[in-house]
Amino acid sequence: GTLPALQLLLGGGSLGNGHGRIAEKVIKFPSKRILDVLRTLFNDYEANETDESFNEYYDRKGNKYFYDLLKPLADTTAVIEADYIDWGNEGKFKTAIGVGECAGVMIDLVATLLLDADEKLKLAAVSYSNGAWGDSIYHSYAATIHAAKALLIENKVHCNTHIGILTDFDKHLGATFGFTETDNFQGYVTRINTTPPNESFATKYNNEMAELVEKIKTKYNDLKKI
């Protein structure tokens, strides 16, 4: 049978100043073993306690160390009946997705993206108040990208990359928000790539992105009423 599974990624996170690090794939395991996986990771980290952050610990021990640590939990030669039943379900796992489930996931995704946009705007305000202009600008950019993706999904346009969101927003929604071929959405939000992250630009950019996010949310609410 087919087992519901999760892919564990470790080592990712924000480094501040608009920088971050991408998590690395470690191992795939049956989803019902997630609690055992977390317990194993926490116990291992605690047993080797130092002043290191987890990512520093991860870097020192290396990807293979964690793969070997969790390999017994990824072993599918001794699966039990419960491993075939995903979280929140009572029947055996199937790879097919029903219409109702797909629609439910889409609604949740849109709502989550809009919540993320609001959260990013709050982070932008906090960074701004601390004088971290670069961080503040990046959070405002991220907020707009999240909101734009949410509205695209609501309009049945699916995209997963930043450049895809930028180009698809211009293609499908740009005119609705007053953008043109020369003064487009992509150029409006990617000014962060060509403008120094000083207080003046942060003030202007953050206000404009917050206003644009609100316009996107208003458009989304209008669509939901139809």
Side-chain angles (χ1 to χ4, degrees), residues 120-121 123-129 132-141 144 191-192 198-213:
K120 295 296 184 184
L121 288 177
L123 290 173
V126 170
S127 295
Y128 183 90
S129 66
W133 315 126
D135 283 358
S136 181
I137 290 165
Y138 181 76
H139 288 316
S140 288
Y141 166 81
T144 309
R191 285 172 291 159
I192 61 172
N198 53 36
E199 181 178 5
S200 175
F201 178 64
T203 303
K204 175 180 173 63
Y205 187 83
N206 288 1
N207 287 336
E208 290 175 346
M209 293 306 107
E211 183 179 344
L212 181 53
V213 168

Side-chain angles (χ1 to χ4, degrees), residues 105-182:
V105 170
M106 185 178 297
I107 292 169
D108 288 344
L109 177 58
V110 171
T112 300
L113 284 166
L114 292 174
L115 287 173
D116 285 344
D118 286 337
E119 187 64 27
K120 295 296 184 184
L121 288 177
K122 291 176 184 176
L123 290 173
V126 170
S127 295
Y128 183 90
S129 66
N130 291 330
W133 315 126
D135 283 358
S136 181
I137 290 165
Y138 181 76
H139 288 316
S140 288
Y141 166 81
T144 309
I145 291 295
H146 279 78
K149 182 173 181 177
L151 192 57
L152 283 168
I153 292 173
E154 189 63 28
N155 280 273
K156 307 297 186 291
V157 180
H158 292 270
C159 45
N160 294 309
T161 64
H162 276 208
I163 189 64
I165 294 167
L166 293 168
T167 55
D168 280 341
F169 195 91
D170 272 319
K171 179 179 178 180
H172 299 280
L173 299 168
T176 303
F177 290 86
F179 292 108
T180 65
E181 190 172 337
T182 51

Side-chain angles (χ1 to χ4, degrees), residues 3 8 26-30 32-34 36-38 40-41 44 63-80 83:
L3 288 172
L8 178 71
V26 177
I27 199 166
K28 187 179 288 185
F29 57 90
K32 272 299 183 70
R33 300 179 188 176
I34 180 62
D36 290 328
V37 167
L38 292 174
T40 301
L41 287 171
D44 174 75
N63 184 286
K64 189 176 186 306
Y65 171 83
F66 290 95
Y67 174 84
D68 291 338
L69 176 70
L70 299 170
K71 191 174 180 181
L73 291 170
D75 184 5
T76 57
T77 59
V79 296
I80 60 176
D83 288 329

Side-chain angles (χ1 to χ4, degrees), residues 208-224:
E208 290 175 346
M209 293 306 107
E211 183 179 344
L212 181 53
V213 168
E214 284 305 309
K215 287 181 179 178
I216 290 173
K217 288 165 62 179
T218 298
K219 182 64 177 176
Y220 166 75
N221 289 329
D222 289 343
L223 287 173
K224 295 301 290 182

